[in-house]
Amino acid sequence: MSIILIEGFDHYASVTNLSLVWTINSTSLATLSAGRFAGQCLRHSANSQRLTSRSIPGTNTLTLGVAIRFEDPENVSGNHPFIAFLTAASGAQFRIGLNTSGQVFIQLGTSTILATSAEAGPVFAVGVWYYLEIEAFVHDTTGFVRVYRDGVLLVEAANQDTRGQAGSDLVELIRFIGNNGGGTSDGPNIVSIDDMYVLDDSTRLGQCRVSTLLPNADTADADWTPLGAGNHFAEVDDDNGDTSYIASATATDLDMFEAQDLSFTPQTVHAVQVTFRARKDDAATREVRAKVRSDAATANGATRTLTSSYLYYHDVFEEDPDTAGPWTGAAVAAMEIGVETVT
């Protein structure tokens, strides 16, 4: 089992920056608003179709966990999907949606309803955050999809055809849909999402929270050059591109930082993700990798070949490199994060 996506939306300075990671069909009414537990969430609203999509490594077995809030769940005139699990070509394997009674359904492709929640609708109250977890196996005979709301099974399709696309059993794209049909009652129109994870396994983690910890102090490893003459961390504790940065053109240059403390005591730490945004400013090949240090042990992220435009890079560390076991809150509090120039 691997965690292949973590998203909390807290570190983006703007929807423009967010759209470097997510594909948004219209950013005009997408906003970064107050999140489920402080921080930010993505809120999409309109009375025309809104599609927010994120690519994932292809897998036929997965779990999506996401906090979701509908501000108008009753605004449905038919069977309207709000999450779609797609191939890279945007072909739907299966979708999760709401019907006119406010019940949740599981849909094969874009047509056949495989199962509908037994609970009388509406299953989502207006303006309330819920945590959904969707476990799935894409197969043409023994597939399954299970939808949990706040840890309780809401609806399940088991031992069924869950492969909506002939010739492929992969999910390579997850799409959140606001207003599927484009009309004023083809909603829900106003949907917010936060605290997301995706696994390449069909065993859910339980309700999760993504906490974004920004650099807040330099360490002895400070080889990169800050834009200003002050602390290095102050140049990378925001998302401001060319107005605030550190730079390096020398292989093995290393900048490590202390990070903010968690604002709560976690029951479990499933992973640490290091995220950075970077570009190069010359024609040479430039490679950078993220690093995380716990006590004296260091783990490296994937080597990233930079382009001349800013892109975000994410590396998930599921194990504490000091213990080769799960992270703890204390280990997270003491860790250091940073970047290293490879070439």
PDB file of all heavy atoms in Angstrom, residues 3-6 54 271-277 288-292 299-305 312-319 327 335 337-340:
ATOM      1  N   ILE A   3       0.609   5.686  -0.258  1.00  0.00           N
ATOM      2  CA  ILE A   3      -0.144   6.929  -0.386  1.00  0.00           C
ATOM      3  C   ILE A   3       0.375   7.638  -1.632  1.00  0.00           C
ATOM      4  O   ILE A   3       1.565   7.942  -1.730  1.00  0.00           O
ATOM      5  CB  ILE A   3       0.028   7.810   0.861  1.00  0.00           C
ATOM      6  CG1 ILE A   3      -0.528   7.093   2.094  1.00  0.00           C
ATOM      7  CG2 ILE A   3      -0.669   9.149   0.662  1.00  0.00           C
ATOM      8  CD1 ILE A   3      -0.258   7.810   3.403  1.00  0.00           C
ATOM      9  N   ILE A   4      -0.489   7.874  -2.591  1.00  0.00           N
ATOM     10  CA  ILE A   4      -0.055   8.453  -3.861  1.00  0.00           C
ATOM     11  C   ILE A   4      -0.484   9.908  -4.028  1.00  0.00           C
ATOM     12  O   ILE A   4      -0.072  10.559  -4.999  1.00  0.00           O
ATOM     13  CB  ILE A   4      -0.538   7.606  -5.062  1.00  0.00           C
ATOM     14  CG1 ILE A   4      -2.062   7.452  -5.063  1.00  0.00           C
ATOM     15  CG2 ILE A   4       0.122   6.242  -5.040  1.00  0.00           C
ATOM     16  CD1 ILE A   4      -2.598   6.677  -6.274  1.00  0.00           C
ATOM     17  N   LEU A   5      -1.279  10.414  -3.113  1.00  0.00           N
ATOM     18  CA  LEU A   5      -1.683  11.822  -3.181  1.00  0.00           C
ATOM     19  C   LEU A   5      -2.066  12.294  -1.787  1.00  0.00           C
ATOM     20  O   LEU A   5      -2.775  11.585  -1.060  1.00  0.00           O
ATOM     21  CB  LEU A   5      -2.856  11.999  -4.150  1.00  0.00           C
ATOM     22  CG  LEU A   5      -3.344  13.423  -4.455  1.00  0.00           C
ATOM     23  CD1 LEU A   5      -3.977  13.469  -5.852  1.00  0.00           C
ATOM     24  CD2 LEU A   5      -4.362  13.922  -3.433  1.00  0.00           C
ATOM     25  N   ILE A   6      -1.593  13.477  -1.432  1.00  0.00           N
ATOM     26  CA  ILE A   6      -2.016  14.184  -0.220  1.00  0.00           C
ATOM     27  C   ILE A   6      -2.284  15.616  -0.634  1.00  0.00           C
ATOM     28  O   ILE A   6      -1.462  16.240  -1.313  1.00  0.00           O
ATOM     29  CB  ILE A   6      -0.936  14.144   0.878  1.00  0.00           C
ATOM     30  CG1 ILE A   6      -0.632  12.710   1.319  1.00  0.00           C
ATOM     31  CG2 ILE A   6      -1.371  14.978   2.082  1.00  0.00           C
ATOM     32  CD1 ILE A   6       0.548  12.602   2.275  1.00  0.00           C
ATOM     33  N   ARG A  54      -7.467  15.985 -10.992  1.00  0.00           N
ATOM     34  CA  ARG A  54      -6.078  15.744 -10.581  1.00  0.00           C
ATOM     35  C   ARG A  54      -5.641  14.367 -11.087  1.00  0.00           C
ATOM     36  O   ARG A  54      -6.327  13.363 -10.866  1.00  0.00           O
ATOM     37  CB  ARG A  54      -5.973  15.807  -9.055  1.00  0.00           C
ATOM     38  CG  ARG A  54      -4.593  15.524  -8.465  1.00  0.00           C
ATOM     39  CD  ARG A  54      -3.672  16.713  -8.496  1.00  0.00           C
ATOM     40  NE  ARG A  54      -2.397  16.404  -7.859  1.00  0.00           N
ATOM     41  CZ  ARG A  54      -2.069  16.738  -6.611  1.00  0.00           C
ATOM     42  NH1 ARG A  54      -2.938  17.388  -5.844  1.00  0.00           N
ATOM     43  NH2 ARG A  54      -0.884  16.443  -6.110  1.00  0.00           N
ATOM     44  N   ALA A 271       1.762   9.880   7.070  1.00  0.00           N
ATOM     45  CA  ALA A 271       2.865  10.223   6.173  1.00  0.00           C
ATOM     46  C   ALA A 271       3.244  11.680   6.357  1.00  0.00           C
ATOM     47  O   ALA A 271       2.464  12.488   6.878  1.00  0.00           O
ATOM     48  CB  ALA A 271       2.489   9.968   4.719  1.00  0.00           C
ATOM     49  N   VAL A 272       4.449  12.004   5.897  1.00  0.00           N
ATOM     50  CA  VAL A 272       4.904  13.380   5.744  1.00  0.00           C
ATOM     51  C   VAL A 272       5.111  13.615   4.253  1.00  0.00           C
ATOM     52  O   VAL A 272       5.752  12.801   3.568  1.00  0.00           O
ATOM     53  CB  VAL A 272       6.222  13.618   6.518  1.00  0.00           C
ATOM     54  CG1 VAL A 272       6.852  14.948   6.118  1.00  0.00           C
ATOM     55  CG2 VAL A 272       5.979  13.577   8.015  1.00  0.00           C
ATOM     56  N   GLN A 273       4.567  14.689   3.757  1.00  0.00           N
ATOM     57  CA  GLN A 273       4.788  15.066   2.363  1.00  0.00           C
ATOM     58  C   GLN A 273       5.573  16.368   2.324  1.00  0.00           C
ATOM     59  O   GLN A 273       5.207  17.336   2.986  1.00  0.00           O
ATOM     60  CB  GLN A 273       3.456  15.249   1.624  1.00  0.00           C
ATOM     61  CG  GLN A 273       3.607  15.736   0.183  1.00  0.00           C
ATOM     62  CD  GLN A 273       2.291  15.808  -0.560  1.00  0.00           C
ATOM     63  OE1 GLN A 273       1.894  14.879  -1.242  1.00  0.00           O
ATOM     64  NE2 GLN A 273       1.590  16.924  -0.417  1.00  0.00           N
ATOM     65  N   VAL A 274       6.653  16.392   1.549  1.00  0.00           N
ATOM     66  CA  VAL A 274       7.419  17.618   1.334  1.00  0.00           C
ATOM     67  C   VAL A 274       7.046  18.157  -0.043  1.00  0.00           C
ATOM     68  O   VAL A 274       7.135  17.449  -1.050  1.00  0.00           O
ATOM     69  CB  VAL A 274       8.929  17.366   1.427  1.00  0.00           C
ATOM     70  CG1 VAL A 274       9.699  18.667   1.145  1.00  0.00           C
ATOM     71  CG2 VAL A 274       9.302  16.828   2.803  1.00  0.00           C
ATOM     72  N   THR A 275       6.623  19.415  -0.070  1.00  0.00           N
ATOM     73  CA  THR A 275       6.206  20.073  -1.305  1.00  0.00           C
ATOM     74  C   THR A 275       7.080  21.304  -1.538  1.00  0.00           C
ATOM     75  O   THR A 275       7.323  22.071  -0.608  1.00  0.00           O
ATOM     76  CB  THR A 275       4.732  20.498  -1.225  1.00  0.00           C
ATOM     77  OG1 THR A 275       3.914  19.334  -1.111  1.00  0.00           O
ATOM     78  CG2 THR A 275       4.309  21.284  -2.453  1.00  0.00           C
ATOM     79  N   PHE A 276       7.543  21.479  -2.760  1.00  0.00           N
ATOM     80  CA  PHE A 276       8.249  22.713  -3.108  1.00  0.00           C
ATOM     81  C   PHE A 276       7.881  23.118  -4.525  1.00  0.00           C
ATOM     82  O   PHE A 276       7.432  22.292  -5.326  1.00  0.00           O
ATOM     83  CB  PHE A 276       9.770  22.570  -2.942  1.00  0.00           C
ATOM     84  CG  PHE A 276      10.426  21.582  -3.858  1.00  0.00           C
ATOM     85  CD1 PHE A 276      10.986  21.988  -5.072  1.00  0.00           C
ATOM     86  CD2 PHE A 276      10.521  20.234  -3.521  1.00  0.00           C
ATOM     87  CE1 PHE A 276      11.613  21.084  -5.917  1.00  0.00           C
ATOM     88  CE2 PHE A 276      11.148  19.310  -4.354  1.00  0.00           C
ATOM     89  CZ  PHE A 276      11.690  19.739  -5.560  1.00  0.00           C
ATOM     90  N   ARG A 277       8.053  24.402  -4.808  1.00  0.00           N
ATOM     91  CA  ARG A 277       7.806  24.928  -6.158  1.00  0.00           C
ATOM     92  C   ARG A 277       9.114  25.528  -6.665  1.00  0.00           C
ATOM     93  O   ARG A 277       9.758  26.292  -5.944  1.00  0.00           O
ATOM     94  CB  ARG A 277       6.696  25.981  -6.139  1.00  0.00           C
ATOM     95  CG  ARG A 277       6.262  26.453  -7.528  1.00  0.00           C
ATOM     96  CD  ARG A 277       4.917  27.147  -7.488  1.00  0.00           C
ATOM     97  NE  ARG A 277       4.939  28.430  -6.840  1.00  0.00           N
ATOM     98  CZ  ARG A 277       4.827  29.607  -7.477  1.00  0.00           C
ATOM     99  NH1 ARG A 277       4.719  29.634  -8.796  1.00  0.00           N
ATOM    100  NH2 ARG A 277       4.825  30.727  -6.812  1.00  0.00           N
ATOM    101  N   VAL A 288      16.826  18.896  -8.810  1.00  0.00           N
ATOM    102  CA  VAL A 288      16.677  19.179  -7.384  1.00  0.00           C
ATOM    103  C   VAL A 288      15.895  18.043  -6.755  1.00  0.00           C
ATOM    104  O   VAL A 288      15.072  17.394  -7.432  1.00  0.00           O
ATOM    105  CB  VAL A 288      15.933  20.525  -7.172  1.00  0.00           C
ATOM    106  CG1 VAL A 288      15.658  20.787  -5.698  1.00  0.00           C
ATOM    107  CG2 VAL A 288      16.724  21.679  -7.767  1.00  0.00           C
ATOM    108  N   ARG A 289      16.128  17.775  -5.488  1.00  0.00           N
ATOM    109  CA  ARG A 289      15.310  16.792  -4.782  1.00  0.00           C
ATOM    110  C   ARG A 289      14.994  17.288  -3.380  1.00  0.00           C
ATOM    111  O   ARG A 289      15.761  18.037  -2.772  1.00  0.00           O
ATOM    112  CB  ARG A 289      16.010  15.438  -4.718  1.00  0.00           C
ATOM    113  CG  ARG A 289      17.322  15.410  -3.942  1.00  0.00           C
ATOM    114  CD  ARG A 289      17.957  14.033  -4.039  1.00  0.00           C
ATOM    115  NE  ARG A 289      19.248  13.982  -3.352  1.00  0.00           N
ATOM    116  CZ  ARG A 289      20.072  12.936  -3.386  1.00  0.00           C
ATOM    117  NH1 ARG A 289      19.724  11.852  -4.084  1.00  0.00           N
ATOM    118  NH2 ARG A 289      21.217  12.956  -2.733  1.00  0.00           N
ATOM    119  N   ALA A 290      13.828  16.871  -2.895  1.00  0.00           N
ATOM    120  CA  ALA A 290      13.417  17.182  -1.529  1.00  0.00           C
ATOM    121  C   ALA A 290      14.122  16.242  -0.564  1.00  0.00           C
ATOM    122  O   ALA A 290      14.533  15.130  -0.927  1.00  0.00           O
ATOM    123  CB  ALA A 290      11.901  17.035  -1.387  1.00  0.00           C
ATOM    124  N   LYS A 291      14.236  16.692   0.691  1.00  0.00           N
ATOM    125  CA  LYS A 291      14.858  15.868   1.724  1.00  0.00           C
ATOM    126  C   LYS A 291      14.086  16.048   3.023  1.00  0.00           C
ATOM    127  O   LYS A 291      13.512  17.114   3.283  1.00  0.00           O
ATOM    128  CB  LYS A 291      16.326  16.264   1.944  1.00  0.00           C
ATOM    129  CG  LYS A 291      17.199  16.113   0.701  1.00  0.00           C
ATOM    130  CD  LYS A 291      18.633  16.484   0.971  1.00  0.00           C
ATOM    131  CE  LYS A 291      19.419  15.373   1.650  1.00  0.00           C
ATOM    132  NZ  LYS A 291      19.874  14.338   0.713  1.00  0.00           N
ATOM    133  N   VAL A 292      14.084  14.993   3.816  1.00  0.00           N
ATOM    134  CA  VAL A 292      13.539  15.080   5.164  1.00  0.00           C
ATOM    135  C   VAL A 292      14.524  14.405   6.103  1.00  0.00           C
ATOM    136  O   VAL A 292      15.074  13.339   5.791  1.00  0.00           O
ATOM    137  CB  VAL A 292      12.127  14.442   5.256  1.00  0.00           C
ATOM    138  CG1 VAL A 292      12.146  12.957   4.912  1.00  0.00           C
ATOM    139  CG2 VAL A 292      11.506  14.673   6.617  1.00  0.00           C
ATOM    140  N   ALA A 299      16.116  11.043   4.413  1.00  0.00           N
ATOM    141  CA  ALA A 299      15.494  10.380   3.264  1.00  0.00           C
ATOM    142  C   ALA A 299      15.403  11.374   2.118  1.00  0.00           C
ATOM    143  O   ALA A 299      15.174  12.574   2.333  1.00  0.00           O
ATOM    144  CB  ALA A 299      14.114   9.855   3.618  1.00  0.00           C
ATOM    145  N   ASN A 300      15.583  10.875   0.906  1.00  0.00           N
ATOM    146  CA  ASN A 300      15.558  11.717  -0.287  1.00  0.00           C
ATOM    147  C   ASN A 300      14.278  11.503  -1.076  1.00  0.00           C
ATOM    148  O   ASN A 300      13.796  10.379  -1.206  1.00  0.00           O
ATOM    149  CB  ASN A 300      16.740  11.392  -1.205  1.00  0.00           C
ATOM    150  CG  ASN A 300      18.075  11.628  -0.539  1.00  0.00           C
ATOM    151  OD1 ASN A 300      18.244  12.618   0.175  1.00  0.00           O
ATOM    152  ND2 ASN A 300      19.019  10.728  -0.764  1.00  0.00           N
ATOM    153  N   GLY A 301      13.765  12.583  -1.637  1.00  0.00           N
ATOM    154  CA  GLY A 301      12.671  12.484  -2.581  1.00  0.00           C
ATOM    155  C   GLY A 301      13.195  12.159  -3.963  1.00  0.00           C
ATOM    156  O   GLY A 301      14.401  11.989  -4.179  1.00  0.00           O
ATOM    157  N   ALA A 302      12.294  12.080  -4.914  1.00  0.00           N
ATOM    158  CA  ALA A 302      12.681  11.805  -6.303  1.00  0.00           C
ATOM    159  C   ALA A 302      13.475  12.982  -6.868  1.00  0.00           C
ATOM    160  O   ALA A 302      13.247  14.146  -6.509  1.00  0.00           O
ATOM    161  CB  ALA A 302      11.440  11.555  -7.148  1.00  0.00           C
ATOM    162  N   THR A 303      14.423  12.693  -7.734  1.00  0.00           N
ATOM    163  CA  THR A 303      15.174  13.750  -8.415  1.00  0.00           C
ATOM    164  C   THR A 303      14.277  14.396  -9.467  1.00  0.00           C
ATOM    165  O   THR A 303      13.720  13.707 -10.337  1.00  0.00           O
ATOM    166  CB  THR A 303      16.444  13.181  -9.065  1.00  0.00           C
ATOM    167  OG1 THR A 303      17.301  12.673  -8.039  1.00  0.00           O
ATOM    168  CG2 THR A 303      17.183  14.252  -9.847  1.00  0.00           C
ATOM    169  N   ARG A 304      14.146  15.714  -9.390  1.00  0.00           N
ATOM    170  CA  ARG A 304      13.237  16.459 -10.269  1.00  0.00           C
ATOM    171  C   ARG A 304      14.037  17.288 -11.259  1.00  0.00           C
ATOM    172  O   ARG A 304      14.902  18.086 -10.864  1.00  0.00           O
ATOM    173  CB  ARG A 304      12.346  17.389  -9.442  1.00  0.00           C
ATOM    174  CG  ARG A 304      11.653  16.707  -8.270  1.00  0.00           C
ATOM    175  CD  ARG A 304      10.628  15.687  -8.712  1.00  0.00           C
ATOM    176  NE  ARG A 304       9.866  15.172  -7.565  1.00  0.00           N
ATOM    177  CZ  ARG A 304       8.795  14.408  -7.661  1.00  0.00           C
ATOM    178  NH1 ARG A 304       8.356  14.051  -8.859  1.00  0.00           N
ATOM    179  NH2 ARG A 304       8.171  13.981  -6.581  1.00  0.00           N
ATOM    180  N   THR A 305      13.759  17.127 -12.536  1.00  0.00           N
ATOM    181  CA  THR A 305      14.389  17.930 -13.578  1.00  0.00           C
ATOM    182  C   THR A 305      13.548  19.180 -13.781  1.00  0.00           C
ATOM    183  O   THR A 305      12.381  19.093 -14.181  1.00  0.00           O
ATOM    184  CB  THR A 305      14.510  17.140 -14.889  1.00  0.00           C
ATOM    185  OG1 THR A 305      15.273  15.949 -14.643  1.00  0.00           O
ATOM    186  CG2 THR A 305      15.195  17.964 -15.958  1.00  0.00           C
ATOM    187  N   TYR A 312       5.052  22.677  -9.122  1.00  0.00           N
ATOM    188  CA  TYR A 312       5.084  22.097  -7.784  1.00  0.00           C
ATOM    189  C   TYR A 312       5.581  20.657  -7.869  1.00  0.00           C
ATOM    190  O   TYR A 312       5.274  19.929  -8.815  1.00  0.00           O
ATOM    191  CB  TYR A 312       3.686  22.086  -7.157  1.00  0.00           C
ATOM    192  CG  TYR A 312       3.165  23.443  -6.766  1.00  0.00           C
ATOM    193  CD1 TYR A 312       2.371  24.178  -7.644  1.00  0.00           C
ATOM    194  CD2 TYR A 312       3.435  23.980  -5.515  1.00  0.00           C
ATOM    195  CE1 TYR A 312       1.877  25.426  -7.284  1.00  0.00           C
ATOM    196  CE2 TYR A 312       2.946  25.225  -5.153  1.00  0.00           C
ATOM    197  CZ  TYR A 312       2.175  25.935  -6.037  1.00  0.00           C
ATOM    198  OH  TYR A 312       1.687  27.159  -5.681  1.00  0.00           O
ATOM    199  N   TYR A 313       6.323  20.265  -6.842  1.00  0.00           N
ATOM    200  CA  TYR A 313       6.816  18.897  -6.725  1.00  0.00           C
ATOM    201  C   TYR A 313       6.467  18.375  -5.335  1.00  0.00           C
ATOM    202  O   TYR A 313       6.609  19.098  -4.346  1.00  0.00           O
ATOM    203  CB  TYR A 313       8.330  18.853  -6.963  1.00  0.00           C
ATOM    204  CG  TYR A 313       8.725  19.398  -8.318  1.00  0.00           C
ATOM    205  CD1 TYR A 313       9.110  20.727  -8.464  1.00  0.00           C
ATOM    206  CD2 TYR A 313       8.683  18.592  -9.445  1.00  0.00           C
ATOM    207  CE1 TYR A 313       9.459  21.240  -9.709  1.00  0.00           C
ATOM    208  CE2 TYR A 313       9.025  19.093 -10.705  1.00  0.00           C
ATOM    209  CZ  TYR A 313       9.409  20.426 -10.820  1.00  0.00           C
ATOM    210  OH  TYR A 313       9.734  20.926 -12.057  1.00  0.00           O
ATOM    211  N   HIS A 314       6.011  17.117  -5.273  1.00  0.00           N
ATOM    212  CA  HIS A 314       5.528  16.522  -4.030  1.00  0.00           C
ATOM    213  C   HIS A 314       6.219  15.183  -3.807  1.00  0.00           C
ATOM    214  O   HIS A 314       6.290  14.358  -4.724  1.00  0.00           O
ATOM    215  CB  HIS A 314       4.014  16.288  -4.080  1.00  0.00           C
ATOM    216  CG  HIS A 314       3.223  17.435  -4.619  1.00  0.00           C
ATOM    217  ND1 HIS A 314       2.785  18.474  -3.825  1.00  0.00           N
ATOM    218  CD2 HIS A 314       2.781  17.713  -5.865  1.00  0.00           C
ATOM    219  CE1 HIS A 314       2.106  19.343  -4.566  1.00  0.00           C
ATOM    220  NE2 HIS A 314       2.093  18.898  -5.810  1.00  0.00           N
ATOM    221  N   ASP A 315       6.706  14.961  -2.616  1.00  0.00           N
ATOM    222  CA  ASP A 315       7.283  13.672  -2.250  1.00  0.00           C
ATOM    223  C   ASP A 315       6.680  13.217  -0.931  1.00  0.00           C
ATOM    224  O   ASP A 315       6.675  13.971   0.055  1.00  0.00           O
ATOM    225  CB  ASP A 315       8.807  13.778  -2.109  1.00  0.00           C
ATOM    226  CG  ASP A 315       9.486  14.002  -3.442  1.00  0.00           C
ATOM    227  OD1 ASP A 315       9.663  13.014  -4.177  1.00  0.00           O
ATOM    228  OD2 ASP A 315       9.825  15.167  -3.751  1.00  0.00           O
ATOM    229  N   VAL A 316       6.155  11.990  -0.929  1.00  0.00           N
ATOM    230  CA  VAL A 316       5.514  11.421   0.252  1.00  0.00           C
ATOM    231  C   VAL A 316       6.491  10.478   0.948  1.00  0.00           C
ATOM    232  O   VAL A 316       7.052   9.574   0.321  1.00  0.00           O
ATOM    233  CB  VAL A 316       4.220  10.666  -0.126  1.00  0.00           C
ATOM    234  CG1 VAL A 316       3.607   9.996   1.105  1.00  0.00           C
ATOM    235  CG2 VAL A 316       3.221  11.624  -0.770  1.00  0.00           C
ATOM    236  N   PHE A 317       6.679  10.693   2.251  1.00  0.00           N
ATOM    237  CA  PHE A 317       7.528   9.842   3.071  1.00  0.00           C
ATOM    238  C   PHE A 317       6.636   9.166   4.114  1.00  0.00           C
ATOM    239  O   PHE A 317       6.209   9.800   5.087  1.00  0.00           O
ATOM    240  CB  PHE A 317       8.617  10.668   3.761  1.00  0.00           C
ATOM    241  CG  PHE A 317       9.516  11.415   2.793  1.00  0.00           C
ATOM    242  CD1 PHE A 317       9.192  12.696   2.370  1.00  0.00           C
ATOM    243  CD2 PHE A 317      10.660  10.820   2.295  1.00  0.00           C
ATOM    244  CE1 PHE A 317      10.004  13.385   1.482  1.00  0.00           C
ATOM    245  CE2 PHE A 317      11.481  11.490   1.401  1.00  0.00           C
ATOM    246  CZ  PHE A 317      11.167  12.779   0.993  1.00  0.00           C
ATOM    247  N   GLU A 318       6.340   7.898   3.891  1.00  0.00           N
ATOM    248  CA  GLU A 318       5.438   7.187   4.792  1.00  0.00           C
ATOM    249  C   GLU A 318       6.141   6.655   6.035  1.00  0.00           C
ATOM    250  O   GLU A 318       5.487   6.347   7.027  1.00  0.00           O
ATOM    251  CB  GLU A 318       4.749   6.042   4.049  1.00  0.00           C
ATOM    252  CG  GLU A 318       3.833   6.530   2.935  1.00  0.00           C
ATOM    253  CD  GLU A 318       3.032   5.407   2.318  1.00  0.00           C
ATOM    254  OE1 GLU A 318       2.278   4.739   3.051  1.00  0.00           O
ATOM    255  OE2 GLU A 318       3.170   5.185   1.094  1.00  0.00           O
ATOM    256  N   GLU A 319       7.472   6.552   5.976  1.00  0.00           N
ATOM    257  CA  GLU A 319       8.229   6.067   7.122  1.00  0.00           C
ATOM    258  C   GLU A 319       9.157   7.139   7.660  1.00  0.00           C
ATOM    259  O   GLU A 319       9.720   7.942   6.904  1.00  0.00           O
ATOM    260  CB  GLU A 319       9.069   4.841   6.739  1.00  0.00           C
ATOM    261  CG  GLU A 319       8.264   3.594   6.429  1.00  0.00           C
ATOM    262  CD  GLU A 319       9.147   2.384   6.195  1.00  0.00           C
ATOM    263  OE1 GLU A 319      10.365   2.567   5.937  1.00  0.00           O
ATOM    264  OE2 GLU A 319       8.637   1.254   6.278  1.00  0.00           O
ATOM    265  N   TRP A 327       5.673   7.420  11.416  1.00  0.00           N
ATOM    266  CA  TRP A 327       5.946   8.699  12.049  1.00  0.00           C
ATOM    267  C   TRP A 327       5.139   8.835  13.341  1.00  0.00           C
ATOM    268  O   TRP A 327       4.061   8.254  13.467  1.00  0.00           O
ATOM    269  CB  TRP A 327       5.577   9.844  11.127  1.00  0.00           C
ATOM    270  CG  TRP A 327       6.470  10.047   9.960  1.00  0.00           C
ATOM    271  CD1 TRP A 327       6.334   9.498   8.717  1.00  0.00           C
ATOM    272  CD2 TRP A 327       7.644  10.853   9.905  1.00  0.00           C
ATOM    273  NE1 TRP A 327       7.346   9.914   7.894  1.00  0.00           N
ATOM    274  CE2 TRP A 327       8.165  10.753   8.591  1.00  0.00           C
ATOM    275  CE3 TRP A 327       8.304  11.667  10.833  1.00  0.00           C
ATOM    276  CZ2 TRP A 327       9.316  11.427   8.185  1.00  0.00           C
ATOM    277  CZ3 TRP A 327       9.453  12.342  10.429  1.00  0.00           C
ATOM    278  CH2 TRP A 327       9.951  12.219   9.132  1.00  0.00           C
ATOM    279  N   MET A 335      11.516  17.048  13.125  1.00  0.00           N
ATOM    280  CA  MET A 335      12.094  16.815  11.797  1.00  0.00           C
ATOM    281  C   MET A 335      12.594  18.106  11.172  1.00  0.00           C
ATOM    282  O   MET A 335      12.213  19.218  11.568  1.00  0.00           O
ATOM    283  CB  MET A 335      11.060  16.167  10.877  1.00  0.00           C
ATOM    284  CG  MET A 335       9.968  17.115  10.428  1.00  0.00           C
ATOM    285  SD  MET A 335       8.788  16.343   9.295  1.00  0.00           S
ATOM    286  CE  MET A 335       7.670  17.740   9.031  1.00  0.00           C
ATOM    287  N   ILE A 337      13.159  19.696   7.079  1.00  0.00           N
ATOM    288  CA  ILE A 337      12.811  19.501   5.677  1.00  0.00           C
ATOM    289  C   ILE A 337      13.646  20.435   4.828  1.00  0.00           C
ATOM    290  O   ILE A 337      14.120  21.464   5.307  1.00  0.00           O
ATOM    291  CB  ILE A 337      11.309  19.749   5.419  1.00  0.00           C
ATOM    292  CG1 ILE A 337      10.917  21.162   5.887  1.00  0.00           C
ATOM    293  CG2 ILE A 337      10.457  18.688   6.108  1.00  0.00           C
ATOM    294  CD1 ILE A 337       9.496  21.548   5.544  1.00  0.00           C
ATOM    295  N   GLY A 338      13.848  20.060   3.571  1.00  0.00           N
ATOM    296  CA  GLY A 338      14.648  20.946   2.737  1.00  0.00           C
ATOM    297  C   GLY A 338      14.777  20.471   1.314  1.00  0.00           C
ATOM    298  O   GLY A 338      14.052  19.573   0.861  1.00  0.00           O
ATOM    299  N   VAL A 339      15.723  21.098   0.610  1.00  0.00           N
ATOM    300  CA  VAL A 339      15.993  20.788  -0.793  1.00  0.00           C
ATOM    301  C   VAL A 339      17.492  20.684  -1.009  1.00  0.00           C
ATOM    302  O   VAL A 339      18.281  21.351  -0.340  1.00  0.00           O
ATOM    303  CB  VAL A 339      15.397  21.847  -1.749  1.00  0.00           C
ATOM    304  CG1 VAL A 339      13.885  21.747  -1.803  1.00  0.00           C
ATOM    305  CG2 VAL A 339      15.831  23.256  -1.340  1.00  0.00           C
ATOM    306  N   GLU A 340      17.877  19.858  -1.981  1.00  0.00           N
ATOM    307  CA  GLU A 340      19.275  19.668  -2.334  1.00  0.00           C
ATOM    308  C   GLU A 340      19.428  19.808  -3.843  1.00  0.00           C
ATOM    309  O   GLU A 340      18.616  19.275  -4.614  1.00  0.00           O
ATOM    310  CB  GLU A 340      19.754  18.287  -1.898  1.00  0.00           C
ATOM    311  CG  GLU A 340      21.215  18.020  -2.242  1.00  0.00           C
ATOM    312  CD  GLU A 340      21.642  16.616  -1.856  1.00  0.00           C
ATOM    313  OE1 GLU A 340      20.794  15.690  -1.843  1.00  0.00           O
ATOM    314  OE2 GLU A 340      22.839  16.434  -1.561  1.00  0.00           O
TER     315      GLU A 340
END
